[in-house]
Amino acid sequence: VQLQASGGGQVRAEGSLRLTCAASGNIFTVRAMGWYRQAPGKQRELVASITSGGTTDYADSVKGRFTISRDNANNTVFLQMNTLKAEDTAIYFCNARLWALQALGVPAPLREYWGQGTQVTVSS
């Protein structure tokens, strides 16, 4: 199973970016996908998550500015980031909790996967 993230970059404050992450490989079912971020000198923190049923969760700092959405058919998650602030600058990591497929089509135990980080830089 691999998670491929894209869409990071550099933007001025008040600007927008859209992150995309696609999960691929021998996947049985995806339970939830989300985005975390890690700024220099800080711990990794949850930004937003979404379950297969559409239930979302957001960090207080991004509520009203970021929107997470998901394409279940393609195991893809999106993060629309509007009104970006300098404090949103961080490396953003895609996350998925899913059941992979083992040999003979037997689902493996639920586990967590991480994509490579994508840098988001917001200049004031």
Side-chain angles (χ1 to χ4, degrees):
V1 175
Q2 291 185 331
L3 302 183
Q4 181 66 46
S6 61
Q10 185 166 351
V11 66
R12 296 181 67 88
E14 301 296 316
S16 299
L17 283 173
R18 180 178 170 91
L19 303 183
T20 299
C21 176
S24 62
N26 292 327
I27 297 170
F28 178 64
T29 301
V30 177
R31 181 175 182 177
M33 297 185 75
W35 292 92
Y36 287 70
R37 67 187 180 187
Q38 187 166 17
K42 295 188 177 181
Q43 289 189 332
R44 190 174 295 191
E45 64 174 357
L46 173 70
V47 177
S49 66
I50 184 167
T51 68
S52 59
T55 300
T56 58
D57 188 25
Y58 293 93
D60 287 342
S61 60
V62 307
K63 285 179 180 177
R65 300 187 298 122
F66 291 10
T67 302
I68 191 168
S69 59
R70 181 171 164 179
D71 177 356
N72 286 337
N74 293 298
N75 294 324
T76 301
V77 66
F78 309 94
L79 184 68
Q80 179 66 41
M81 304 185 292
N82 298 327
T83 320
L84 282 159
K85 303 176 181 180
E87 50 263 44
D88 294 318
T89 295
I91 300 174
Y92 284 68
F93 296 92
C94 177
N95 172 277
R97 280 171 279 149
L98 59 86
W99 291 268
L101 273 176
Q102 300 177 116
L104 303 179
V106 177
L110 180 69
R111 51 156 294 196
E112 195 169 44
Y113 294 83
W114 292 92
Q116 87 284 5
T118 184
Q119 177 72 46
V120 171
T121 302
V122 184
S123 58
S124 56

